[in-house]
Amino acid sequence: MAHFAEVLDGIVTRVIVISNGDAPGELSESEPLGVAFIQNVLGFSGVWVQTSYNHNFRHKYAGPGDSYLAESDVFVAPKPWDSWILNTETWVWQAPTPMPDDGKIYDWSEESQAWIEVTP
């Protein structure tokens, strides 16, 4: 099986799965072959980028709303808050201040730029 994300203006719009039995060759090993199949046989135009269900490449499995950073060749989750910064070593969004590590539950407050303890 091969998984491909449609990317429009850097944002994943959908992900499709192609069974190896539906297309000639080994799609999971050839991104160009998969893209050609999508465009020429399925008739879907646009930009298609292979994604890994097992997270073997491009950081994460792409989902609708994720970003594709072509210059780094990775998929990243949507930015959760305007103030958060993307860590380009882990490709994970980080708050401006670390969440307390005291076993309590916290939620980020964009307004106060601080972690607020959640009480049940």
Side-chain angles (χ1 to χ4, degrees):
M1 296 235 177
H3 304 251
F4 287 85
E6 181 180 37
V7 178
L8 178 63
D9 297 327
I11 304 297
V12 175
T13 57
R14 62 180 163 167
V15 177
I16 63 171
V17 180
I18 303 170
S19 170
N20 287 340
D22 290 340
E26 185 63 36
L27 290 181
S28 62
E29 308 216 355
S30 174
E31 184 173 38
L33 183 62
V35 171
F37 177 82
I38 291 167
Q39 293 176 338
N40 300 327
V41 177
L42 298 180
F44 297 152
S45 60
V47 175
W48 292 89
V49 180
Q50 192 168 7
T51 185
S52 172
Y53 188 76
N54 298 318
H55 312 276
N56 291 334
F57 53 88
R58 295 193 170 119
H59 175 64
K60 72 182 290 297
Y61 182 72
D66 286 347
S67 294
Y68 174 64
L69 307 179
E71 65 279 1
S72 302
D73 197 28
V74 296
F75 291 104
V76 296
K79 188 174 186 176
W81 301 101
D82 287 340
S83 64
W84 286 35
I85 307 294
L86 184 62
N87 180 324
T88 56
E89 292 181 18
T90 63
W91 301 109
V92 174
W93 294 101
Q94 294 180 326
T97 59
M99 184 173 67
D101 186 19
D102 57 9
K104 297 178 183 177
I105 300 172
Y106 292 89
D107 193 16
W108 177 254
S109 169
E110 187 69 5
E111 183 178 315
S112 65
Q113 296 284 296
W115 291 100
I116 307 298
E117 183 179 349
V118 175
T119 54

